[in-house]
Amino acid sequence: MSIVPLITFKAGACEYNDEQRDDNKVKPLPAQGYIYLYSDDDLIHFCWRKRSAPMTEPDLDLVMVPTDGQFVPYTWADQSSAKTNGRIFVLKFASSSSRHFFWLQSKPQSRNGDPSWFSPRDKKIGEIVNRLLQGEEVSATQELGQVRNVDDRRDNDDDETMEDVEGHGGAGHGATGGDIREEGEDAREGGSDGARAAAGGARTAPASDADAAVQNFLRSLQGNAGLGSSSRSGGQQAADKPYPYLNHLLPNETTIPMLASASEAFTDNLLGFLPPTVLVLATGAGDAGDVEPSAEAAAAARASLRLAEKKNLLQKVLRSPQFHQALGSLTMALRDGGLPTIAEALNVKVANGGYIRGGGMPLGGGEAVEAFVEGVKTTVKEEEEQRRQ
Amino acid sequence: MSGGWNTIESDAGVFTYLLENLGVKGVQFEELLTLSPEELAPLQPVYGIIFLFRYPSEGLPPRPKESYDHDAAERLFFARQTIQNACGTQALLSVVMNKTDEVDLGARLSEFRDFAMALPPDLRGEALSNSELIREVHNSFAKSSPFADETQRAGDDEAEDAFHFVAYSAVGGTLYELDGLQPAPVSHGDCGADDFPSRVAGVLADRVATYASSEIRFNVLAMVRDPRVAAAEMGDQETLAREEEKRRQWRWENALRRHNFVGFAGEVLKGVVAEKVRQGDGAYEAWIQEGHRRRERDEGAMRLRRKMGAAGGDTGDGDEMMLG
């Protein structure tokens, strides 16, 4: 049987003890997964599966009677003791007291890094699921296309939104993927006002005829080739491809000798990617308090350092736990769907832009890290050739 | 609610500059490796102790009701914890806000204290979590990871345990335990500034002994007077130089903590790949193979660690995350 999900998004299950106790906690379970909904015989199936599991083998498969279920954000106000430290949705039933909790595993979008802040997009996903449970016909693709996320943290340059959700059966890659990657550019929509505006404006009619025709066409293909996330995790490719993390590729034993033989130009280039404080401290300046020096001070510091001092400084950074932690989180981001945006930000040419061939989902897991490293290889080879010409 | 609180590291350098950036003058943190009075006494004057520990998910043993000093909850700066990620900062403030006769809070924090002291303890916690000043300084010490921390945490077996910070300080002749998850300060009896090191060491040792040793990991930081003040007064150049070096090291670490390493990592990777490509002769493939080997080794080590459980002297490695 082939399943055509109406919506699929990254979410994890939570453990919850049903007994009524004050200190009851919703405990997010670490397994990476997807929530997806599909329709069968006019009944909606609400499913959760691990990312590695095929769509036909969900860990949770609830057949939902229309209007019985409610899928809503679980917020601080619902809890007696402590604030949540993640974005949690609860699935409730009119017919029973049982509840299921899920946490969103996409990247949090909060300006201040509040992990419990629901972005307009997060809310929209919840709203779509809830409306599907009420028996409404919703085009996830179209609806999501109308919500822009806000992503305006400090380090905006490298801080792109990752593709976290796939509305199925729409116009495919061009509609979902394309829109999502442009998110976060419009800071005016930031904050809760933006959320209200976006959510309010998005209540539109069900899919148009043209849209329905496209959906039908795509559905007819689905069983054979698979599209979007279904090809990524449906059956054919159950296991993660083993590939080293960036930490394993860039241990001190590798980076320090590379640095030792590096040219002054390359060394200076690397220094340009360090925080100014580190450069100023390397000149032996005293304790000026914990304030960031100006770019001029950093440039002056850099100019005053000899090559050996520069390499010494870089060596310390390469050995620092902070750098190694950053390699870990960069690897996780690549594995978790960040390849297209990271490659673009770093000017690394990756095959097919980092997306699965013929689908709108980014590569994931070990495949994504491999594509990234291979992309770096291609890029440096090209640069080398250009230099020779 | 105005915005979120990120997790920050429990680290002497982070805490010292956190208070300094809030405007507090002449205070420093020292990480303690033991719970012995001998280690604490030379650091005098010690304003208080920040005790971070991880406890199993079943929770903590309850306290007898009579140990709460409800009167002190009003009189002292005691705030009920409302924001989990803010708990470390809250513990620091619990000490320093009760040491106004010895420590200069600076104008902005004094103003906040005046405002908060007029409120009952539960609203003080609320006021703290709504303070732009405190939240911004706190968050400025968060790791600059542009990516979802949730994905990192997801792979961590230890994520299910909770972390919590508790402050201990001698205020007005009594040793208090200031824990924002408790309804009021807990009194541990009479205690002057001079016997604080020995008294608090005893209380902490008792506390640690109530948990099975394999179940608790902890990290102890002492809030002391900036040693440079006394060193400068006494012309102790050696101490002065040593402490200045320590500060430089802290600033270095703080700068790297805040740094977004994505660009740097990309350049380093390009440098290494370019080197391997230049070397030719399968150097690139050999490097990838070496990476595979390292990964397998790491995974093997992780499995082994899981098998061995939490056993081992795994106390405060200075890199704990504040989660509770």
Side-chain angles (χ1 to χ4, degrees):
Chain A
M1 181 201 107
S2 82
I3 295 171
V4 185
L6 301 160
I7 184 169
T8 303
F9 57 96
K10 289 180 183 170
C14 297
E15 200 177 279
Y16 180 74
N17 187 344
D18 258 340
E19 289 165 47
Q20 290 300 314
R21 294 201 339 246
D22 276 355
D23 57 350
N24 251 350
K25 274 201 176 131
V26 176
K27 198 194 296 171
L29 299 173
Q32 309 233 326
Y34 289 115
I35 287 177
Y36 57 107
L37 278 74
Y38 69 93
S39 170
D40 185 36
D41 279 347
D42 283 332
L43 289 174
I44 296 279
H45 286 246
F46 183 105
C47 303
W48 183 82
R49 64 178 164 93
K50 295 197 186 74
R51 302 245 174 109
S52 53
M55 246 191 302
T56 46
E57 288 174 35
D59 287 61
L60 177 78
D61 186 352
L62 301 167
V63 182
M64 304 294 296
V65 180
T67 73
D68 183 43
Q70 247 199 317
F71 188 74
V72 288
Y74 187 66
T75 55
W76 186 30
D78 302 331
Q79 288 175 290
S80 51
S81 55
K83 192 170 163 55
T84 53
N85 59 1
R87 293 157 298 156
I88 294 178
F89 276 95
V90 57
L91 174 65
K92 301 193 269 200
F93 306 87
S95 60
S96 91
S97 65
S98 94
R99 293 193 282 179
H100 293 272
F101 292 89
F102 301 93
W103 59 288
L104 291 186
Q105 291 176 325
S106 59
K107 179 186 156 213
Q109 300 292 328
S110 160
R111 177 195 297 253
N112 296 300
D114 177 0
S116 62
W117 187 75
F118 290 87
S119 72
R121 187 176 184 79
D122 298 338
K123 290 181 182 167
K124 190 76 203 172
I125 291 168
E127 194 207 318
I128 290 169
V129 171
N130 196 43
R131 283 167 58 194
L132 288 168
L133 296 181
Q134 308 317 311
E136 286 182 47
E137 269 186 40
V138 187
S139 162
T141 309
Q142 195 182 48
E143 295 269 349
L144 282 167
Q146 296 176 30
V147 185
R148 285 167 155 245
N149 240 339
V150 283
D151 183 5
D152 50 0
R153 296 193 208 176
R154 274 180 299 156
D155 305 300
N156 213 14
D157 45 354
D158 296 313
D159 194 3
E160 303 281 346
T161 308
M162 287 169 208
E163 188 150 344
D164 62 319
V165 65
E166 183 83 328
H168 297 268
H173 178 194
T176 46
D179 274 6
I180 291 161
R181 272 171 296 144
E182 283 161 21
E183 282 167 9
E185 286 165 9
D186 194 351
R188 283 168 303 170
E189 285 195 16
S192 53
D193 289 348
R196 271 198 301 279
R203 288 197 167 269
T204 51
S208 67
D209 288 351
D211 202 23
V214 174
Q215 284 192 30
N216 288 336
F217 171 66
L218 291 171
R219 270 179 211 188
S220 70
L221 294 175
Q222 191 87 28
N224 311 317
L227 276 159
S229 70
S230 52
S231 75
R232 177 178 172 192
S233 32
Q236 306 101 310
Q237 186 207 327
D240 182 27
K241 177 169 188 169
Y243 196 81
Y245 282 28
L246 295 180
N247 311 53
H248 306 123
L249 292 171
L250 299 175
N252 298 340
E253 292 86 337
T254 300
T255 54
I256 306 290
M258 182 274 292
L259 176 68
S261 62
S263 67
E264 179 142 26
F266 182 79
T267 310
D268 281 340
N269 178 46
L270 279 185
L271 289 179
F273 287 90
L274 291 182
T277 304
V278 166
L279 292 167
V280 172
L281 279 170
T283 63
D287 181 13
D290 191 34
V291 285
E292 195 76 352
S294 64
E296 292 80 49
R302 179 158 63 169
S304 76
L305 292 172
R306 287 177 291 121
L307 181 58
E309 288 171 322
K310 290 174 181 172
K311 289 196 172 183
N312 197 16
L313 160 64
L314 285 166
Q315 216 181 94
K316 266 179 80 185
V317 174
L318 290 170
R319 290 181 191 279
S320 72
Q322 289 83 12
F323 174 60
H324 288 277
Q325 280 166 12
L327 290 179
S329 59
L330 181 57
T331 306
M332 293 316 289
L334 288 169
R335 292 177 57 89
D336 211 25
L339 175 63
T341 46
I342 292 167
E344 199 183 334
L346 297 179
N347 287 322
V348 172
K349 297 190 180 91
V350 292
N352 199 32
Y355 289 90
I356 290 174
R357 288 200 186 282
M361 286 292 275
L363 284 173
E367 281 194 335
V369 186
E370 180 175 35
F372 181 67
V373 177
E374 290 293 325
V376 169
K377 188 175 155 199
T378 311
T379 309
V380 298
K381 272 185 175 169
E382 277 178 20
E383 282 170 6
E384 205 95 323
E385 266 165 36
Q386 275 170 11
R387 221 167 292 145
R388 257 184 256 134
Q389 279 164 12
Chain B
M1 266 310 305
S2 58
W5 294 70
N6 297 336
T7 57
I8 64 172
E9 276 176 60
S10 165
D11 173 88
V14 169
F15 284 4
T16 298
Y17 280 105
L18 201 156
L19 282 189
E20 195 167 304
N21 292 359
L22 281 171
V24 178
K25 293 177 188 68
V27 171
Q28 182 164 313
F29 284 85
E30 300 286 347
E31 185 166 348
L32 302 178
L33 303 174
T34 65
L35 291 176
S36 71
E38 289 74 31
E39 197 189 348
L40 202 47
L43 300 173
Q44 284 272 41
V46 178
Y47 300 131
I49 294 287
I50 308 297
F51 183 62
L52 164 72
F53 59 103
R54 197 181 85 188
Y55 59 89
S57 43
E58 303 90 74
L60 292 169
R63 300 251 163 191
K65 276 203 167 55
E66 61 275 16
S67 54
Y68 296 121
D69 187 339
H70 286 281
D71 175 47
E74 300 291 330
R75 196 164 28 86
L76 303 188
F77 182 89
F78 175 79
R80 295 299 302 275
Q81 183 175 313
T82 55
I83 299 279
Q84 204 184 26
N85 286 345
C87 62
T89 294
Q90 175 152 2
L92 309 190
L93 293 176
S94 297
V95 174
V96 80
M97 295 284 216
N98 287 309
K99 289 287 171 186
T100 45
D101 47 345
E102 293 167 77
V103 177
D104 179 358
L105 290 185
R108 291 194 296 173
L109 207 55
S110 293
E111 192 184 313
F112 173 77
R113 186 183 188 277
D114 291 344
F115 162 70
M117 281 307 283
L119 304 168
D122 51 341
L123 290 182
R124 279 182 208 149
E126 200 66 27
L128 200 158
S129 56
N130 285 318
S131 162
E132 284 283 317
L133 166 72
I134 298 169
R135 195 192 58 203
E136 268 171 26
V137 172
H138 170 99
N139 281 347
S140 77
F141 288 91
K143 277 207 186 82
S144 167
S145 168
F147 308 114
D149 282 334
E150 280 167 315
T151 54
Q152 267 180 295
R153 245 182 268 153
D156 187 353
D157 278 354
E158 296 163 359
E160 295 190 9
D161 288 343
F163 288 79
H164 188 50
F165 286 83
V166 175
Y168 291 86
S169 186
V171 188
T174 304
L175 174 54
Y176 283 110
E177 174 185 327
L178 302 159
D179 175 352
L181 290 183
Q182 305 285 353
V186 176
S187 165
H188 289 280
D190 292 347
C191 177
D194 289 342
D195 53 348
F196 178 69
S198 61
R199 293 275 292 105
V200 76
V203 169
L204 285 174
D206 286 348
R207 173 156 204 168
V208 170
T210 59
Y211 311 105
S213 59
S214 64
E215 278 175 20
I216 182 163
R217 286 176 58 183
F218 58 86
N219 184 359
V220 188
L221 291 155
M223 188 192 291
V224 303
R225 184 201 282 159
D226 185 346
R228 295 176 303 174
V229 177
E233 280 167 9
M234 291 160 54
D236 180 352
Q237 292 304 323
E238 197 185 314
T239 303
L240 211 52
R242 193 183 60 231
E243 292 300 327
E244 288 293 349
E245 186 50 40
K246 192 195 273 174
R247 293 255 170 174
R248 288 163 48 82
Q249 182 61 30
W250 282 345
R251 285 183 58 212
W252 158 282
E253 287 168 7
N254 285 343
L256 291 192
R257 245 174 219 121
R258 290 174 184 149
H259 189 53
N260 178 344
F261 269 108
V262 174
F264 184 79
E267 293 304 307
V268 171
L269 181 62
K270 283 179 191 171
V272 168
V273 170
E275 187 190 38
K276 300 299 172 192
V277 168
R278 261 198 308 275
Q279 286 168 0
D281 236 6
Y284 175 85
E285 288 74 18
W287 168 64
I288 300 286
Q289 276 313 312
E290 175 69 15
H292 275 291
R293 209 185 51 73
R294 282 176 189 279
R295 183 185 166 173
E296 281 156 23
R297 184 202 61 197
D298 281 8
E299 284 174 354
M302 214 120 86
R303 272 195 294 276
L304 189 68
R305 210 164 62 200
R306 247 174 250 157
K307 222 188 276 173
M308 289 169 61
D314 217 1
T315 57
D317 52 7
D319 195 28
E320 300 283 16
M321 299 297 287
M322 285 188 187
L323 293 175

